Amino acid sequence: MSEARNPKSMRLAVAQTPVREDPRDVDALRESGRQVRALMREAGAQGARIAHFPEGAICLPHKLVMSVDGPDAVGPADWNRCQWPVLRAELAAITQLAGELRLWTVVASVHRLTEPNRPHNSLYVISDRGEVVTRYDERLLSNTKVSYMYSPGISPVTFDVDGVRFGCLLGMEIHYPELFAEYEGLDVDCVLFSTTGVSPGNAAAQAQGHAAANSYWVSFSVPTQHSATAPSGVVAPGGDWLERCPADGSPSVAVVDLDDGSEVAAEAMAYARPWRRKSRAGVYAGHQVIDPRSEDRTAAF
């Protein structure tokens, strides 16, 4: 964490919730909203300053449910099937509760655009004043998402809470190390990654690798459906899991302190991250030599 931002320890809650796939189902949308708000209250009761939810926290519309060629074939999504007024009402209630709890909340949802444009698959960042302050739109979409369902986003997003800088990623973006490196260059302290599970065990392992390679925290939020193999959790800057939700399929939160002076973070923050930046800036140039035995790649011994 950069000294220029006067960092301090802050508490984060990462959630796992059931994902429902039919945006026509009013009762399911309302139940998803109710579940998110229940976990927000639990996170707030444990002293969290920010709560992070998985992709599809309210609903992740299934490609066959939405397909104009469905239900047996994938085709262009018919977004008129979505109960937009109910979705907006649930997001409004979540936003209001964030202000009441004084809890920053990062929650995924479909973000409607002007017709005929397809919506974004997004993460809303809601402040502790109950205001949407920014939004991250998934950029590197799956083949199905980009072909039939969503418009891709175009830029990274960062925001600060109590001197700690966060970045957001979504969906299958765990597979793109350049996106995680981009956030390291933007000086983030923690990446919030939400997914419905792209081979969840594999994705969890990659989250550890990205945290270790970039020396920052990674919050990994997935649905309860994947908890048996890859529950939600937070990876420390050294690459180890700091805390994880139960593996029993229950809606829950795991609460951790993001503290750059802690034992799990101090070495990565104080040494590994600064050295990588120095090495990438050209520190080796002054130590390189001209030597025929260096230039001859076939020289032995």
Side-chain angles (χ1 to χ4, degrees):
M1 299 184 186
S2 169
E3 290 183 359
R5 293 199 304 277
N6 188 27
K8 60 183 97 172
S9 176
M10 66 93 66
R11 186 162 289 184
L12 174 142
V14 59
Q16 60 185 29
T17 60
V19 168
R20 298 169 174 89
E21 298 181 324
D22 190 346
R24 303 169 300 181
D25 189 334
V26 171
D27 290 340
L29 293 175
R30 289 174 174 160
E31 177 59 21
S32 290
R34 186 202 65 78
Q35 185 68 76
V36 166
R37 292 188 291 275
L39 292 179
M40 289 171 65
R41 293 185 179 94
E42 184 176 335
Q46 294 188 52
R49 284 286 287 131
I50 181 169
H52 170 215
F53 288 87
E55 182 183 24
I58 306 300
C59 180
L60 189 76
H62 194 280
K63 57 188 178 183
L64 293 177
V65 171
M66 303 301 290
S67 172
V68 297
D69 299 326
D72 300 318
V74 178
D78 177 7
W79 285 103
N80 289 320
R81 299 178 182 180
C82 181
Q83 288 288 333
W84 292 109
V86 180
L87 180 61
R88 286 194 296 267
E90 293 306 317
L91 290 169
I94 289 167
T95 301
Q96 180 178 343
L97 182 61
E100 293 173 3
L101 297 175
R102 306 295 290 177
L103 176 72
W104 284 75
T105 302
V106 179
V107 63
S109 182
V110 178
H111 180 72
R112 195 176 192 179
L113 301 183
T114 306
E115 293 184 3
N117 296 320
R118 296 171 182 162
H120 291 312
N121 185 37
S122 303
L123 283 171
Y124 289 107
V125 178
I126 304 165
S127 77
D128 60 355
R129 294 175 179 263
E131 302 169 343
V132 175
V133 294
T134 190
R135 189 191 70 250
Y136 177 73
D137 306 319
E138 186 181 5
R139 292 175 282 169
L140 299 184
L141 302 163
S142 70
N143 182 50
T144 296
K145 281 180 175 179
V146 76
S147 297
Y148 301 112
M149 301 189 73
Y150 298 103
S151 298
I154 60 174
S155 63
V157 164
T158 65
F159 64 97
D160 290 37
V161 179
D162 298 345
V164 179
R165 180 163 297 165
F166 293 90
C168 300
L169 291 173
L170 185 58
M172 66 174 296
E173 293 181 331
I174 194 75
H175 295 317
Y176 297 94
E178 63 270 27
L179 298 184
F180 287 84
E182 178 183 41
Y183 276 124
E184 195 283 334
L186 292 172
D187 206 26
V188 306
D189 304 304
C190 178
V191 168
L192 306 175
F193 172 66
S194 299
T195 188
T196 52
V198 281
S199 301
N202 176 282
Q206 289 188 74
Q208 290 183 270
H210 294 314
N214 294 288
S215 298
Y216 53 42
W217 312 85
V218 173
S219 181
F220 178 80
S221 186
V222 297
T224 55
Q225 287 93 323
H226 294 311
S227 67
T229 52
S232 294
V234 178
V235 186
D240 295 322
W241 290 102
L242 183 60
E243 190 66 62
R244 304 187 81 172
C245 289
D248 59 4
S250 61
S252 57
V253 292
V255 179
V256 302
D257 290 321
L258 306 184
D259 181 359
D260 66 333
S262 65
E263 184 178 351
V264 297
E267 182 174 348
M269 293 292 191
Y271 300 106
R273 188 168 182 176
W275 175 251
R276 290 192 189 102
R277 289 183 170 184
K278 188 174 181 180
S279 65
R280 288 168 177 150
V283 68
Y284 302 107
H287 299 276
Q288 293 168 346
V289 298
I290 298 175
D291 187 311
R293 286 187 57 79
S294 173
E295 296 170 359
D296 184 358
R297 302 291 179 182
T298 65
F301 313 112

